[in-house]
Amino acid sequence: MKIWLGVLVAVSSYLLDMSLISANSNDLQSLIDATEEGGVLTLQEGEYKGNFLIQKSMVIIANGHVVITSEQVNEPLFRIEDSQNVSLKGLELISSGTAIKVNRVKNIELSNLVLHRVFSGIEVYDSKNVEINHVSVNGKGHHPSNSGNGIAIFTSTDITVKNSHMNGVQDGVYIEGVKNIIVTGNEVVNSRYGNHFMYSENATIVNNRFTKNVTGLMIMMANEIYVESNDISDQDGFNGTGITLYDTKVVEVQNNTIAGNKIGLTIQKTANVRALSNTFQMNQTAVESTNSENSNLLSNNVFIGNIVNCRTDEIGLNLKNNYYDDYTGIDIDGDGIGDEPYVALQSFGQWMVRKSVYQYYVESPSVVLLNQLDQQANRGSQTLLVDQSPLTNKNIKQYKEWHLNHWQLSIGIALLVLCLIIWRRSVLT
């Protein structure tokens, strides 16, 4: 009996040692290989180095602060393939290459991970039932061109990417050939595209924040896309766009804040877009449409403080029941709908977008008169950028507040003072 008790204690001690691995053991691959199918490998606080392969059902979880550093740049830090039911939780990964590469895996969870100085964060191929949750990805350089994608998913189905943060990567979340994906609660900053969809179907993009990228949301050659309640702001560079839809069908853009972009929403070669109840605020151009079908509808949106609300080619856009801050009509019967149509076409606005220096004349008497003439001259149009039922009773206070940029103000004041000094000296001489 004592012999069996001793054996039981020895086996228990061995299993305990396998589940609570100390940082003194750097041969993490051996520990992975020794973990039974479906088992849990718990890593104690410390640092591990190497590149590792997982080809079985298992969970790797950190107990404390666990840092894993890649030794081979040309290999992923973790390669997970030909398996199912795999989880990585609570790890900090450092790699100048790819942190995690997933191939042909069913049911995988990557959660509470911090990926530092990576070229590429997570790459997923030919997999199903993938959940990526609370992952932070920081690119290796100060410019997106120096990095790969934060999270990239190819030819996979049933994907969830949520509550994650990407900074300084090429595309925050890149999606190609994917069916059934939910992207929610994420933030992407200082990157090329916040979200980039290609050749994908049935995507839901909800409650994300895309700011200070080249383009917040790029959707190309994709179908059945639902975009709701996102903050898409401050893509104001030379090619800055809040949302770009290209060669896409069946898209609903609803209840988003699209503010401070060079172009808020651009629609190209696209059909069956419904932009509903969005706030377009302080964009250079709020909505632009080219080479698209006349099935696209903008309804119940709010346009505030944009230089140009809408511009389009000869096909036009369907505008209905939107609020425009520059609408000058009246509402005699008080039903909340203007008695005269709103004409979005503004000649000066189009010139101003092409020559930004014109913005300094935006409220000059001649420009105000030109805009009024545009309204009168185009009021009879029935198809091109005319809203026959503009709203008049929106509550402006509910929309995005804008704060003073003290840095830009300081530069402006300094330039003004310098100009005054130069002018005064020229007068005195």
Side-chain angles (χ1 to χ4, degrees), residues 29 97 157 202 242 255 267 282:
Q29 185 62 61
T157 60
N202 193 18
N255 292 319
I267 304 170
M282 298 186 72

Side-chain angles (χ1 to χ4, degrees), residues 13 20 36 40 109 137 154 165 170 173-174 191 203 243 256 300 317 359 396:
S13 298
L20 293 172
E36 63 181 3
V40 177
E109 179 186 1
V137 183
F154 303 85
H165 177 87
Q170 188 173 88
V173 182
Y174 178 83
S191 301
I243 302 175
N256 300 282
N300 288 287
L317 276 167
Q359 64 186 299
I396 306 303

Side-chain angles (χ1 to χ4, degrees), residues 78-374:
F78 275 101
R79 184 157 50 95
I80 307 170
E81 60 186 30
D82 298 315
S83 55
Q84 60 181 354
N85 303 321
V86 179
S87 296
L88 300 182
K89 300 180 180 181
L91 308 174
E92 181 177 337
L93 308 181
I94 300 175
S95 173
S96 57
T98 299
I100 302 173
K101 187 173 183 179
V102 178
N103 268 302
R104 302 176 299 278
V105 177
K106 182 179 180 181
N107 303 328
I108 181 168
E109 179 186 1
L110 306 172
S111 63
N112 296 296
L113 305 176
V114 177
L115 314 182
H116 275 314
R117 302 192 298 274
V118 297
F119 176 79
S120 176
I122 298 171
E123 297 180 2
V124 178
Y125 299 85
D126 303 309
S127 297
K128 184 175 183 179
N129 295 333
V130 178
E131 180 173 318
I132 300 172
N133 183 21
H134 280 100
V135 172
S136 176
V137 183
N138 296 295
K140 62 182 293 186
H142 298 288
H143 193 274
S145 62
N146 296 324
S147 296
N149 300 312
I151 298 171
I153 302 173
F154 303 85
T155 58
S156 300
T157 60
D158 301 328
I159 312 296
T160 301
V161 179
K162 62 183 180 181
N163 305 323
S164 296
H165 177 87
M166 276 69 72
N167 179 31
V169 297
Q170 188 173 88
D171 296 346
V173 182
Y174 178 83
I175 306 298
E176 182 177 325
V178 170
K179 293 183 179 180
N180 305 330
I181 180 168
I182 298 173
V183 179
T184 181
N186 304 290
E187 181 180 47
V188 183
V189 298
N190 301 319
S191 301
R192 186 184 69 162
Y193 302 152
N195 245 181
H196 188 184
F197 286 81
M198 294 188 67
Y199 309 110
S200 297
E201 296 180 11
N202 193 18
T204 300
I205 307 151
V206 180
N207 293 322
N208 302 283
R209 182 171 182 261
F210 306 125
T211 184
K212 297 182 180 179
N213 307 293
V214 176
T215 296
L217 184 57
M218 173 70 75
I219 303 175
M220 307 173 68
M221 293 160 283
N223 299 318
E224 299 180 18
I225 310 296
Y226 184 72
V227 182
E228 182 180 9
S229 301
N230 301 284
D231 182 354
I232 306 173
S233 303
D234 299 322
Q235 279 73 220
D236 57 359
F238 183 75
N239 294 313
T241 304
I243 302 175
T244 294
L245 304 177
Y246 179 82
D247 197 10
T248 299
K249 294 181 180 179
V250 189
V251 182
E252 186 161 313
V253 180
Q254 185 170 351
N255 292 319
N256 300 282
T257 298
I258 304 171
N261 307 287
K262 185 167 185 181
I263 301 176
L265 169 63
T266 180
I267 304 170
Q268 303 174 26
K269 297 179 64 177
T270 292
N272 298 318
V273 175
R274 289 164 53 86
L276 311 173
S277 303
N278 302 286
T279 299
F280 294 94
Q281 184 173 2
M282 298 186 72
N283 304 282
Q284 288 194 31
T285 298
V287 180
E288 177 185 76
S289 177
T290 56
N291 299 317
S292 296
E293 297 185 11
N294 59 9
S295 58
N296 300 322
L297 171 67
L298 274 66
S299 180
N300 288 287
N301 300 287
V302 173
F303 294 88
I304 300 176
N306 305 292
I307 295 177
V308 175
N309 285 330
C310 300
R311 61 177 180 171
T312 183
D313 54 17
E314 65 277 3
I315 298 175
L317 276 167
N318 292 309
L319 305 177
K320 182 179 180 181
N321 294 122
N322 299 291
Y323 174 85
Y324 311 91
D325 63 346
D326 59 344
Y327 176 62
T328 58
I330 58 175
D331 178 17
I332 295 177
D333 57 9
D335 63 353
I337 298 176
D339 297 329
E340 298 177 345
Y342 172 80
V343 181
L345 181 64
Q346 296 179 353
S347 302
F348 185 78
Q350 308 288 353
W351 299 338
M352 187 164 44
V353 170
R354 294 177 177 87
K355 297 273 188 185
S356 58
V357 70
Y358 289 172
Q359 64 186 299
Y360 298 112
Y361 304 97
V362 67
E363 289 299 328
S364 66
S366 58
V367 172
V368 172
L369 177 61
L370 177 60
N371 289 337
Q372 292 175 349
L373 291 174
D374 276 338

